[in-house]
Amino acid sequence: MNYELRTKNCKAKGFTLIEFLVVLGILALTVSSTLLFLTSVLRGSNKANVIAEVKQNGQVVLESLERQIRNGVDAEQVGQVENNTIKIIRQDQSPLYIKCISNASLNGYIGSVTSSSDPTGDGQYISMTFKDDLVSGVDIDCPDNTDIATGCAVSVIPSSSGGISPPVVSICFYANQAVQAPSRQDFQTKVKFQTTISLRRY
């Protein structure tokens, strides 16, 4: 009699298999939900950091272009590819050439070179990109067809008849993560930069 009572008391103090499985399921659900939340937060943070970095690098390129172009006295479109290369004529200095340059295995970039004659190759152009590292740098989207919807374009709007108003340079480009950046979605971004610059002519 006493033995049976003790056995019943021992059984009453334990957990059944079903109770254990229910607790285990709730715990697993809680842990997985927490991990999903933390992963989402980290991805959002990565994306925000990548966008901020690309914007910063693209803005550096844009400001450098504005500074160099605005001091020109005249501008003209050059080269055989439309909206690809412009020539800035400067007072008492050799002309400045600016070109959208693409490369299948390297970051695309906007390059500039000071030359008294038309540059003969892309190798003469110096990148205006702040960071051109293949992993952590920035890629300026410059496809060969210079599609304004997806790539880089520099063009000149000529001065009005009589030369009353100066020429205007139009610039549009997309800045992306570097070509060898991680392929995860939270490391990918594309930011558009567009502006028009009126030459000062003095």
Side-chain angles (χ1 to χ4, degrees):
M1 183 74 176
N2 290 336
Y3 173 75
E4 290 179 0
L5 185 60
R6 284 198 300 271
T7 304
K8 288 180 180 178
N9 289 337
C10 288
K11 287 182 178 178
K13 291 179 181 177
F15 292 101
T16 65
L17 180 60
I18 294 176
E19 290 173 333
F20 177 74
L21 291 176
V22 168
V23 171
L24 194 62
I26 293 173
L27 184 62
L29 187 62
T30 304
V31 170
S32 62
S33 298
T34 303
L35 288 175
L36 283 173
F37 173 74
L38 291 175
T39 302
S40 176
V41 169
L42 287 174
R43 283 182 177 173
S45 176
N46 286 340
K47 188 74 173 178
N49 289 338
V50 168
I51 291 174
E53 184 176 5
V54 169
K55 281 184 176 180
Q56 180 184 14
N57 290 327
Q59 192 62 38
V60 168
V61 174
L62 199 61
E63 289 174 358
S64 179
L65 284 167
E66 288 180 341
R67 188 169 54 252
Q68 295 188 58
I69 292 171
R70 201 173 294 280
N71 291 325
V73 295
D74 203 355
E76 59 186 49
Q77 200 83 41
V78 296
Q80 298 178 346
V81 180
E82 185 180 0
N83 297 338
N84 178 266
T85 310
I86 59 172
K87 175 182 178 181
I88 305 298
I89 300 166
R90 302 179 294 180
Q91 193 168 10
D92 301 326
Q93 296 182 65
S94 295
L96 175 72
Y97 292 82
I98 296 172
K99 183 178 182 179
C100 296
I101 298 172
S102 61
N103 190 304
S105 58
L106 301 175
N107 294 328
Y109 63 95
I110 298 177
S112 66
V113 61
T114 298
S115 176
S116 56
S117 59
D118 290 358
T120 55
D122 293 347
Q124 293 180 260
Y125 288 86
I126 299 171
S127 173
M128 303 175 76
T129 308
F130 178 60
K131 286 183 68 177
D132 55 7
D133 183 81
L134 294 180
V135 176
S136 62
V138 64
D139 171 38
I140 302 299
D141 198 355
C142 300
D144 292 334
N145 63 1
T146 60
D147 181 1
I148 195 64
T150 59
C152 167
V154 287
S155 59
V156 177
I157 303 169
S159 59
S160 61
S161 57
I164 298 173
S165 61
V168 174
V169 175
S170 174
I171 300 170
C172 180
F173 65 88
Y174 284 82
N176 315 284
Q177 272 299 88
V179 293
Q180 294 181 14
S183 58
R184 279 170 34 193
Q185 187 64 33
D186 49 315
F187 279 96
Q188 301 300 311
T189 189
K190 177 177 282 192
V191 181
K192 182 179 181 180
F193 293 87
Q194 186 170 11
T195 189
T196 54
I197 305 166
S198 178
L199 276 66
R200 289 177 177 162
R201 278 193 161 174
Y202 58 77

